[in-house]
Amino acid sequence: MRIVLSGVCGNSREIGRAIAERLSLPYYKTDVTFFHDTEMQVCLPVKELKLNATPMKELKDMDVVYVQTTIPAQNHCLIELFMAVGNIKQRGAAKLTAVVPYLAYARQDKEFSPGQTISNKVIGMAMKALGVDQLITVDVHFNRDVGEYTYEGIKAYNATAAGALAKYVRDELEMNSPKIVIPDVGHKPIVEFITPVLGRDVIFGSKERKGENEVIITFPEEDFNGKSVVIFDDMISSGTTSVETAEYLKKRGANKVILAVTHALCINNAREKLLDAGIDKIVATDSIPKEDSVVSIAPIIADAMEKWSF
Ligand code: R5P
């Protein structure tokens, strides 16, 4: 029997419930409480499930889809994720699929200076050790490809929100054939999801990150005068990449600039910086629930799950 179980962190319950509804699967939720010393207790709904009375074997033979995001505060959410998946496996689940709409620590995928932790590997190692059999991510930073991949030995699938964001831009903002700007050529794999919706006028930048608040992006010479432009990226963190791109486009006469991103982390005053740089509208998913979260991530994940036949 397959069930969807969601965690508490951020909007995990809303996303989990919506995925379960879309896939017509039974939905349950965990509970999280805290001890005086701030340690967390993650409790599974074993009484509600009433499937197997044997203590610590309540999920025996079950196929559990655990939905939980890891948005800021990421460390807090990750502990919840680790406690929950470990608990699910301890209770005998036959198969455990973790659905993590925003996967934290995905950006440190190499050593930038000697001695650093390659954090994205460690997060994967932890999930594997705790018994995660399958993982579903969306536009995860360390893997630009869409589809199946292997993450520290876990069978994984990376979905993309690019098509859904493009549809929102076309249908709700009534932009039909804008110029599409992708600041980092590494994101090429999302293009095939954008062009059927918004056309093929795509310009790639070549990006070099100099530090958290400094990037150098080089674009090919192009006429933006009076044009409508949509920038696509996987995420806004400090906003540096998108500010740099928007300023470049505005200087070259772009008329309207829309920023479409999957994960609008928007740390500190990133949103204000983006609007000041001339971005007319930010279109984001609710992987991170924010003011600009106008596209729902749940159907994107549910569709990917059906497509993957997990
Ligand atoms: C970089 O490779 C990513 O695709 C994003 O452009 C980046 O992580 C966004 O971060 P920030 O908003 O801090 O520039």
Side-chain angles (χ1 to χ4, degrees):
M1 178 190 177
R2 177 176 285 171
I3 63 163
V4 174
L5 181 65
S6 80
V8 173
C9 203
N11 55 346
S12 302
R13 284 185 174 172
E14 289 80 359
I15 298 174
R17 190 180 298 112
I19 291 173
E21 267 171 27
R22 194 142 171 133
L23 298 177
S24 304
L25 291 171
Y27 170 71
Y28 299 90
K29 50 188 190 290
T30 62
D31 264 317
V32 172
T33 51
F34 294 90
F35 295 102
H36 290 304
D37 60 1
T38 76
E39 286 180 2
M40 186 186 283
Q41 172 51 245
V42 175
C43 187
L44 301 184
V46 287
K47 284 193 192 141
E48 210 184 321
L49 280 160
K50 283 191 199 118
L51 289 168
N52 187 324
T54 314
M56 295 306 293
K57 285 286 164 246
E58 295 91 340
L59 299 177
K60 192 170 176 293
D61 300 330
M62 290 191 66
D63 176 348
V64 180
V65 177
Y66 178 69
V67 181
Q68 197 223 292
T69 196
T70 56
I71 64 175
Q74 295 93 325
N75 300 339
H76 170 104
C77 291
L78 279 169
I79 289 291
E80 184 189 339
L81 178 71
F82 295 158
M83 293 290 171
V85 295
N87 192 350
I88 292 166
K89 262 296 155 120
Q90 275 181 331
R91 286 171 202 272
K95 187 161 147 194
L96 170 55
T97 304
V99 174
V100 187
Y102 174 72
L103 182 62
Y105 286 96
R107 287 191 292 169
Q108 179 98 33
D109 53 2
K110 59 179 178 223
E111 200 187 39
F112 296 108
S113 63
Q116 287 187 335
T117 304
I118 301 172
S119 313
N120 82 320
K121 280 184 86 67
V122 174
I123 300 296
M125 285 159 68
M127 282 200 264
K128 174 79 182 160
L130 289 166
V132 172
D133 300 303
Q134 301 191 135
L135 173 71
I136 295 179
T137 53
V138 186
D139 291 314
V140 71
H141 190 83
F142 57 77
N143 174 24
R144 305 299 169 92
D145 291 329
V146 179
E148 199 168 316
Y149 67 109
T150 303
Y151 178 42
E152 296 307 313
I154 302 173
K155 189 178 161 198
Y157 188 95
N158 189 38
T160 182
L165 292 166
K167 279 186 190 135
Y168 184 93
V169 167
R170 181 193 63 194
D171 300 342
E172 304 300 325
L173 307 183
E174 296 176 357
M175 287 172 82
N176 277 313
S177 301
K179 282 193 169 292
I180 297 155
V181 169
I182 299 183
D184 187 345
V185 69
H187 280 131
K188 217 172 191 165
I190 62 169
V191 168
E192 67 172 288
F193 298 87
I194 299 169
T195 51
V197 185
L198 290 174
R200 312 199 68 83
D201 195 356
V202 187
I203 296 115
F204 293 103
S206 173
K207 181 167 122 178
E208 196 192 336
R209 186 141 219 141
K210 294 283 185 187
E212 236 182 322
N213 295 311
E214 195 190 347
V215 293
I216 296 173
I217 312 174
T218 319
F219 292 101
E221 265 318 308
E222 188 77 29
D223 179 20
F224 290 104
N225 209 15
K227 301 281 170 42
S228 294
V229 185
V230 187
I231 306 169
F232 278 88
D233 209 344
D234 61 335
M235 68 194 296
I236 305 165
S237 180
S238 65
T240 310
T241 305
S242 306
V243 165
E244 190 74 17
T245 308
E247 285 175 347
Y248 176 90
L249 296 171
K250 281 287 171 180
K251 262 189 219 146
R252 278 154 188 80
N255 175 36
K256 191 170 181 184
V257 180
I258 305 296
L259 172 59
V261 291
T262 306
H263 310 294
L265 218 53
C266 289
I267 300 304
N268 299 326
N269 61 341
R271 187 172 191 275
E272 288 65 40
K273 287 197 294 189
L274 292 166
L275 299 179
D276 287 349
I279 286 174
D280 294 280
K281 185 164 175 59
I282 301 166
V283 175
T285 77
D286 61 357
S287 71
I288 296 165
K290 292 264 172 153
E291 197 169 342
D292 302 301
S293 303
V294 290
V295 173
S296 173
I297 200 100
I300 297 167
I301 294 171
D303 288 355
M305 286 162 95
E306 281 185 318
K307 195 166 161 197
W308 191 27
S309 316
F310 80 110

